[in-house]
Amino acid sequence: MDRFAKSKLMTFPREVLVGHGVLDDVAWLLGELNLSGPALVVTGERTRALAGERAAAILSKGGIPAELIVTASATQASVERALAAARAHKAGVILGVGGGSVIDVAKLTAFRHGAPYVSVPTSASHDGLTSPRASIKEEAGSASKEAKAPLAIVADTGVIVQAPYRTLAAGCADAISNATAVLDWKLAHRLRGEEYSSFAAVLAETSANMIMENVESIKPNLEEAVWLVVKSLIVSGVSMSVAGSSRPASGSEHMFSHTLDLLAPGRALHGEQVGVGSIMMMYLHGGDWRRIRDALAKVGAPTTAAELNVDRKTIIDALVRAHENKPDRYTILGDKGLSRDAAEDLVRATGVA
Ligand code: ZN
Protein backbone atom coordinates (compact mmCIF):
# COMPACT_ATOMS: atom_id res chain seq x y z
CA MET A 1 0.00 0.00 0.00
CA ASP A 2 1.22 3.49 -0.82
CA ARG A 3 2.32 5.58 2.08
CA PHE A 4 0.11 8.64 2.64
CA ALA A 5 2.31 11.50 1.45
CA LYS A 6 -0.03 14.43 1.15
CA SER A 7 0.99 17.66 2.84
CA LYS A 8 -0.23 21.21 2.74
CA LEU A 9 0.42 24.52 4.45
CA MET A 10 -2.54 26.77 5.29
CA THR A 11 -1.95 30.25 6.62
CA PHE A 12 -4.77 32.01 8.41
CA PRO A 13 -5.13 35.40 10.06
CA ARG A 14 -4.38 34.96 13.78
CA GLU A 15 -6.50 37.79 15.17
CA VAL A 16 -9.66 39.18 13.61
CA LEU A 17 -11.10 42.22 15.33
CA VAL A 18 -14.42 43.45 13.92
CA GLY A 19 -16.83 46.05 15.26
CA HIS A 20 -17.56 49.62 16.11
CA GLY A 21 -14.50 51.64 17.15
CA VAL A 22 -12.00 48.76 17.05
CA LEU A 23 -9.42 50.95 15.32
CA ASP A 24 -8.79 52.37 18.81
CA ASP A 25 -7.50 48.93 19.85
CA VAL A 26 -4.92 48.56 17.08
CA ALA A 27 -1.89 49.23 19.35
CA TRP A 28 -3.24 46.79 21.95
CA LEU A 29 -3.73 44.17 19.22
CA LEU A 30 -0.13 44.50 17.98
CA GLY A 31 0.94 44.02 21.62
CA GLU A 32 -1.08 40.79 21.78
CA LEU A 33 0.83 39.63 18.71
CA ASN A 34 4.16 40.61 20.31
CA LEU A 35 4.81 43.17 17.61
CA SER A 36 6.58 46.20 18.99
CA GLY A 37 7.21 47.89 15.66
CA PRO A 38 8.36 50.11 14.22
CA ALA A 39 5.20 50.11 12.14
CA LEU A 40 4.78 51.35 8.60
CA VAL A 41 1.23 52.54 7.97
CA VAL A 42 0.41 52.41 4.26
CA THR A 43 -2.64 54.54 3.51
CA GLY A 44 -4.34 56.30 0.60
CA GLU A 45 -5.04 59.90 -0.41
CA ARG A 46 -8.64 59.79 0.79
CA THR A 47 -8.31 57.22 3.56
CA ARG A 48 -5.48 59.12 5.22
CA ALA A 49 -7.81 61.57 6.92
CA LEU A 50 -10.49 58.94 7.55
CA ALA A 51 -8.30 56.41 9.35
CA GLY A 52 -4.62 56.42 8.30
CA GLU A 53 -3.46 59.29 10.48
CA ARG A 54 -5.61 58.08 13.35
CA ALA A 55 -4.05 54.61 13.16
CA ALA A 56 -0.53 56.07 13.22
CA ALA A 57 -1.42 58.32 16.18
CA ILE A 58 -2.96 55.44 18.15
CA LEU A 59 0.14 53.31 17.55
CA SER A 60 2.53 56.10 18.64
CA LYS A 61 0.45 56.70 21.75
CA GLY A 62 0.59 52.98 22.46
CA GLY A 63 4.40 53.05 22.36
CA ILE A 64 4.78 51.70 18.82
CA PRO A 65 6.74 54.10 16.59
CA ALA A 66 4.75 54.55 13.37
CA GLU A 67 5.56 56.06 9.99
CA LEU A 68 2.86 57.00 7.51
CA ILE A 69 3.18 56.61 3.74
CA VAL A 70 0.47 57.69 1.31
CA THR A 71 0.25 55.46 -1.74
CA ALA A 72 -1.76 55.79 -4.94
CA SER A 73 -2.89 52.98 -7.24
CA ALA A 74 -1.56 49.45 -6.84
CA THR A 75 1.40 49.48 -9.24
CA GLN A 76 4.87 48.03 -9.02
CA ALA A 77 6.21 51.58 -8.51
CA SER A 78 3.94 52.08 -5.47
CA VAL A 79 5.21 48.83 -3.98
CA GLU A 80 8.86 49.82 -4.57
CA ARG A 81 8.28 53.16 -2.86
CA ALA A 82 6.58 51.56 0.16
CA LEU A 83 9.32 48.93 0.30
CA ALA A 84 12.00 51.65 0.43
CA ALA A 85 10.11 53.29 3.30
CA ALA A 86 9.78 49.94 5.12
CA ARG A 87 13.54 49.39 4.84
CA ALA A 88 14.42 52.96 5.84
CA HIS A 89 12.27 52.72 8.98
CA LYS A 90 13.27 49.10 9.70
CA ALA A 91 9.58 48.30 9.87
CA GLY A 92 8.70 45.22 11.91
CA VAL A 93 5.08 45.28 10.81
CA ILE A 94 3.20 46.78 7.87
CA LEU A 95 -0.36 48.04 8.23
CA GLY A 96 -2.58 48.63 5.22
CA VAL A 97 -5.16 51.25 6.18
CA GLY A 98 -7.42 51.89 3.20
CA GLY A 99 -9.36 50.34 0.35
CA GLY A 100 -8.39 47.61 -2.10
CA SER A 101 -5.33 49.24 -3.72
CA VAL A 102 -3.81 50.34 -0.42
CA ILE A 103 -4.23 46.86 1.04
CA ASP A 104 -2.68 45.32 -2.08
CA VAL A 105 0.36 47.60 -1.84
CA ALA A 106 0.69 46.87 1.90
CA LYS A 107 0.51 43.10 1.52
CA LEU A 108 3.02 42.96 -1.34
CA THR A 109 5.36 45.30 0.56
CA ALA A 110 5.11 43.06 3.63
CA PHE A 111 5.75 39.94 1.52
CA ARG A 112 8.90 41.42 -0.01
CA HIS A 113 10.10 43.08 3.19
CA GLY A 114 9.58 39.86 5.12
CA ALA A 115 7.41 41.42 7.83
CA PRO A 116 3.89 40.55 8.97
CA TYR A 117 1.01 42.64 7.72
CA VAL A 118 -2.19 43.81 9.32
CA SER A 119 -5.23 44.60 7.18
CA VAL A 120 -7.24 47.62 8.28
CA PRO A 121 -9.87 48.01 5.54
CA THR A 122 -11.75 51.30 5.24
CA SER A 123 -14.21 49.80 2.77
CA ALA A 124 -15.55 46.29 2.17
CA SER A 125 -15.49 46.20 -1.61
CA HIS A 126 -13.97 42.74 -2.30
CA ASP A 127 -12.45 39.72 -0.62
CA GLY A 128 -8.87 40.77 -1.45
CA LEU A 129 -9.02 42.75 1.80
CA THR A 130 -8.68 39.48 3.67
CA SER A 131 -7.08 37.09 1.19
CA PRO A 132 -3.44 36.11 0.70
CA ARG A 133 -3.42 37.29 -2.90
CA ALA A 134 -2.79 40.76 -4.27
CA SER A 135 -3.70 42.26 -7.58
CA ILE A 136 -1.23 44.63 -9.23
CA LYS A 137 -1.85 46.82 -12.25
CA GLU A 138 0.43 45.98 -15.13
CA GLU A 139 0.48 47.08 -18.74
CA ALA A 140 -1.39 43.97 -19.84
CA GLY A 141 -4.13 44.46 -17.22
CA SER A 142 -4.05 43.41 -13.62
CA ALA A 143 -2.08 40.43 -12.39
CA SER A 144 -2.82 38.36 -9.32
CA LYS A 145 0.31 37.87 -7.20
CA GLU A 146 1.18 35.60 -4.36
CA ALA A 147 1.46 37.79 -1.27
CA LYS A 148 0.82 37.19 2.42
CA ALA A 149 -2.27 36.39 4.41
CA PRO A 150 -2.82 39.14 6.97
CA LEU A 151 -1.53 38.28 10.45
CA ALA A 152 -4.50 40.24 11.76
CA ILE A 153 -7.57 42.03 10.44
CA VAL A 154 -8.95 45.13 12.13
CA ALA A 155 -12.30 45.99 10.54
CA ASP A 156 -13.85 49.03 12.19
CA THR A 157 -17.51 49.09 11.13
CA GLY A 158 -17.71 52.76 12.25
CA VAL A 159 -15.04 53.60 9.65
CA ILE A 160 -16.23 51.29 6.86
CA VAL A 161 -19.83 52.56 7.07
CA GLN A 162 -18.52 55.96 5.91
CA ALA A 163 -17.26 54.53 2.60
CA PRO A 164 -19.58 55.04 -0.40
CA TYR A 165 -22.42 52.47 -0.25
CA ARG A 166 -21.54 51.42 -3.78
CA THR A 167 -18.34 49.79 -2.46
CA LEU A 168 -20.32 47.74 0.09
CA ALA A 169 -22.74 46.55 -2.61
CA ALA A 170 -19.70 45.56 -4.71
CA GLY A 171 -18.34 43.59 -1.73
CA CYS A 172 -21.67 41.73 -1.54
CA ALA A 173 -21.42 40.93 -5.26
CA ASP A 174 -17.85 39.60 -4.88
CA ALA A 175 -19.06 37.26 -2.12
CA ILE A 176 -22.14 36.19 -4.12
CA SER A 177 -19.88 35.34 -7.08
CA ASN A 178 -18.39 32.49 -5.03
CA ALA A 179 -21.55 30.55 -5.96
CA THR A 180 -20.34 30.15 -9.56
CA ALA A 181 -16.63 29.92 -8.68
CA VAL A 182 -17.38 26.83 -6.59
CA LEU A 183 -19.46 25.25 -9.39
CA ASP A 184 -16.53 25.79 -11.77
CA TRP A 185 -14.18 24.18 -9.28
CA LYS A 186 -16.45 21.15 -8.85
CA LEU A 187 -16.63 20.82 -12.64
CA ALA A 188 -12.83 20.95 -12.97
CA HIS A 189 -12.57 18.35 -10.22
CA ARG A 190 -14.98 15.96 -11.96
CA LEU A 191 -13.72 16.56 -15.48
CA ARG A 192 -10.01 17.06 -14.93
CA GLY A 193 -9.34 15.52 -11.55
CA GLU A 194 -8.27 18.89 -10.23
CA GLU A 195 -7.48 18.87 -6.53
CA TYR A 196 -10.57 19.89 -4.62
CA SER A 197 -11.20 20.77 -1.01
CA SER A 198 -14.78 20.33 0.17
CA PHE A 199 -13.95 22.38 3.29
CA ALA A 200 -12.75 25.33 1.20
CA ALA A 201 -15.80 24.98 -1.07
CA VAL A 202 -18.24 24.98 1.85
CA LEU A 203 -16.60 28.12 3.27
CA ALA A 204 -16.83 29.91 -0.08
CA GLU A 205 -20.48 28.90 -0.50
CA THR A 206 -21.23 29.99 3.06
CA SER A 207 -19.77 33.40 2.27
CA ALA A 208 -22.14 33.75 -0.72
CA ASN A 209 -25.16 32.47 1.21
CA MET A 210 -24.52 34.81 4.15
CA ILE A 211 -25.26 37.66 1.75
CA MET A 212 -28.01 36.04 -0.34
CA GLU A 213 -29.98 34.99 2.76
CA ASN A 214 -29.70 38.44 4.34
CA VAL A 215 -30.19 40.87 1.45
CA GLU A 216 -32.99 42.59 3.38
CA SER A 217 -30.51 43.72 6.03
CA ILE A 218 -28.02 45.26 3.61
CA LYS A 219 -28.69 48.99 3.40
CA PRO A 220 -26.71 52.23 3.36
CA ASN A 221 -25.58 53.88 6.59
CA LEU A 222 -26.08 50.75 8.64
CA GLU A 223 -23.18 49.31 10.64
CA GLU A 224 -24.95 45.95 11.01
CA ALA A 225 -24.86 45.63 7.21
CA VAL A 226 -21.14 46.40 7.19
CA TRP A 227 -20.63 43.78 9.90
CA LEU A 228 -22.37 41.14 7.79
CA VAL A 229 -20.45 41.94 4.61
CA VAL A 230 -17.09 42.06 6.41
CA LYS A 231 -17.77 38.67 8.01
CA SER A 232 -18.74 37.21 4.65
CA LEU A 233 -15.58 38.56 2.98
CA ILE A 234 -13.40 37.22 5.79
CA VAL A 235 -14.93 33.75 5.33
CA SER A 236 -14.23 34.06 1.60
CA GLY A 237 -10.59 34.99 2.31
CA VAL A 238 -10.28 32.01 4.64
CA SER A 239 -11.64 29.69 1.93
CA MET A 240 -8.71 30.78 -0.26
CA SER A 241 -6.28 30.16 2.60
CA VAL A 242 -7.65 26.62 2.95
CA ALA A 243 -7.49 25.97 -0.81
CA GLY A 244 -4.05 27.54 -1.14
CA SER A 245 -5.33 29.40 -4.21
CA SER A 246 -8.09 31.76 -5.26
CA ARG A 247 -10.03 28.80 -6.79
CA PRO A 248 -13.02 28.76 -4.37
CA ALA A 249 -13.67 32.48 -4.88
CA SER A 250 -12.64 33.04 -8.48
CA GLY A 251 -13.97 31.17 -11.49
CA SER A 252 -15.39 31.98 -14.91
CA GLU A 253 -17.17 35.10 -13.58
CA HIS A 254 -13.77 36.50 -12.49
CA MET A 255 -12.22 35.57 -15.86
CA PHE A 256 -15.04 37.51 -17.54
CA SER A 257 -14.36 40.50 -15.27
CA HIS A 258 -10.60 40.42 -15.85
CA THR A 259 -11.21 40.31 -19.60
CA LEU A 260 -13.57 43.27 -19.26
CA ASP A 261 -10.74 45.11 -17.43
CA LEU A 262 -8.62 44.68 -20.55
CA LEU A 263 -11.32 45.69 -23.05
CA ALA A 264 -12.90 48.55 -21.09
CA PRO A 265 -10.73 49.47 -18.11
CA GLY A 266 -12.06 51.40 -15.14
CA ARG A 267 -15.77 51.29 -16.00
CA ALA A 268 -17.00 49.56 -12.87
CA LEU A 269 -15.75 48.12 -9.60
CA HIS A 270 -14.32 44.59 -9.45
CA GLY A 271 -17.23 43.27 -7.38
CA GLU A 272 -19.79 44.87 -9.69
CA GLN A 273 -18.29 43.13 -12.74
CA VAL A 274 -17.94 39.69 -11.17
CA GLY A 275 -21.55 39.95 -9.95
CA VAL A 276 -22.88 40.42 -13.48
CA GLY A 277 -20.48 37.69 -14.61
CA SER A 278 -21.91 35.39 -11.97
CA ILE A 279 -25.49 35.84 -13.25
CA MET A 280 -24.36 34.71 -16.71
CA MET A 281 -22.10 31.86 -15.57
CA MET A 282 -24.89 30.51 -13.35
CA TYR A 283 -27.12 30.45 -16.43
CA LEU A 284 -24.46 28.42 -18.27
CA HIS A 285 -24.21 26.03 -15.30
CA GLY A 286 -27.98 25.53 -15.52
CA GLY A 287 -28.36 26.82 -11.96
CA ASP A 288 -30.68 29.35 -10.36
CA TRP A 289 -29.30 32.48 -12.03
CA ARG A 290 -32.39 34.51 -11.10
CA ARG A 291 -31.53 34.07 -7.43
CA ILE A 292 -28.09 35.63 -8.10
CA ARG A 293 -29.63 38.46 -10.14
CA ASP A 294 -32.33 39.21 -7.58
CA ALA A 295 -29.85 39.23 -4.68
CA LEU A 296 -27.59 41.64 -6.57
CA ALA A 297 -30.52 43.89 -7.43
CA LYS A 298 -31.71 43.85 -3.83
CA VAL A 299 -28.36 45.04 -2.43
CA GLY A 300 -28.12 47.65 -5.18
CA ALA A 301 -25.34 46.08 -7.25
CA PRO A 302 -25.44 46.15 -11.08
CA THR A 303 -27.21 43.38 -12.99
CA THR A 304 -26.89 44.73 -16.54
CA ALA A 305 -24.25 45.89 -19.01
CA ALA A 306 -25.66 49.42 -18.90
CA GLU A 307 -25.25 49.54 -15.12
CA LEU A 308 -21.61 48.50 -15.60
CA ASN A 309 -21.26 51.39 -18.04
CA VAL A 310 -20.28 48.97 -20.83
CA ASP A 311 -22.01 48.44 -24.18
CA ARG A 312 -23.47 45.16 -25.42
CA LYS A 313 -20.66 44.45 -27.89
CA THR A 314 -17.96 44.81 -25.23
CA ILE A 315 -19.80 42.41 -22.90
CA ILE A 316 -20.04 39.87 -25.73
CA ASP A 317 -16.36 40.33 -26.66
CA ALA A 318 -15.42 39.76 -23.01
CA LEU A 319 -17.56 36.61 -22.85
CA VAL A 320 -16.05 35.20 -26.04
CA ARG A 321 -12.50 35.82 -24.82
CA ALA A 322 -12.90 35.12 -21.09
CA HIS A 323 -11.56 31.52 -21.27
CA GLU A 324 -8.20 32.87 -22.51
CA ASN A 325 -7.75 34.86 -19.32
CA LYS A 326 -6.61 31.89 -17.24
CA PRO A 327 -6.10 29.00 -19.65
CA ASP A 328 -5.07 26.59 -16.89
CA ARG A 329 -8.18 27.30 -14.80
CA TYR A 330 -10.86 24.98 -16.17
CA THR A 331 -14.40 26.37 -15.91
CA ILE A 332 -17.84 26.17 -17.53
CA LEU A 333 -16.31 28.16 -20.42
CA GLY A 334 -14.37 25.04 -21.42
CA ASP A 335 -11.20 25.07 -23.52
CA LYS A 336 -12.66 26.94 -26.46
CA GLY A 337 -14.91 29.42 -24.69
CA LEU A 338 -18.29 30.65 -25.86
CA SER A 339 -19.15 31.10 -29.50
CA ARG A 340 -20.35 34.57 -30.43
CA ASP A 341 -23.87 33.24 -31.03
CA ALA A 342 -23.95 31.56 -27.63
CA ALA A 343 -22.69 34.76 -25.98
CA GLU A 344 -25.45 36.76 -27.69
CA ASP A 345 -28.08 34.29 -26.51
CA LEU A 346 -26.63 34.40 -23.02
CA VAL A 347 -26.81 38.19 -22.58
CA ARG A 348 -30.33 38.21 -24.01
CA ALA A 349 -31.62 35.32 -21.89
CA THR A 350 -30.28 36.80 -18.64
CA GLY A 351 -31.30 40.35 -19.50
CA VAL A 352 -27.71 41.55 -19.06
CA ALA A 353 -27.77 43.24 -22.48
ZN1 ZN B 1 -13.13 38.92 -6.45
Side-chain angles (χ1 to χ4, degrees), residues 253-276:
E253 73 299 316
H254 272 66
M255 286 152 66
F256 160 76
S257 169
H258 295 149
T259 309
L260 207 51
D261 285 337
L262 294 177
L263 300 177
R267 298 292 177 85
L269 299 175
H270 167 82
E272 296 174 331
Q273 295 181 177
V274 301
V276 172

Side-chain angles (χ1 to χ4, degrees), residues 100-165:
S101 317
V102 166
I103 303 273
D104 279 344
V105 170
K107 72 170 90 160
L108 282 166
T109 303
F111 182 62
R112 289 188 50 198
H113 184 56
Y117 114 86
V118 176
S119 173
V120 188
T122 55
S123 64
S125 58
H126 58 77
D127 58 19
L129 302 170
T130 54
S131 83
R133 305 200 62 89
S135 135
I136 277 291
K137 286 198 189 78
E138 288 177 344
E139 268 172 43
S142 60
S144 173
K145 301 243 185 233
E146 181 74 49
K148 277 175 101 81
L151 182 63
I153 300 167
V154 180
D156 192 326
T157 51
V159 170
I160 298 172
V161 78
Q162 296 175 51
Y165 178 73

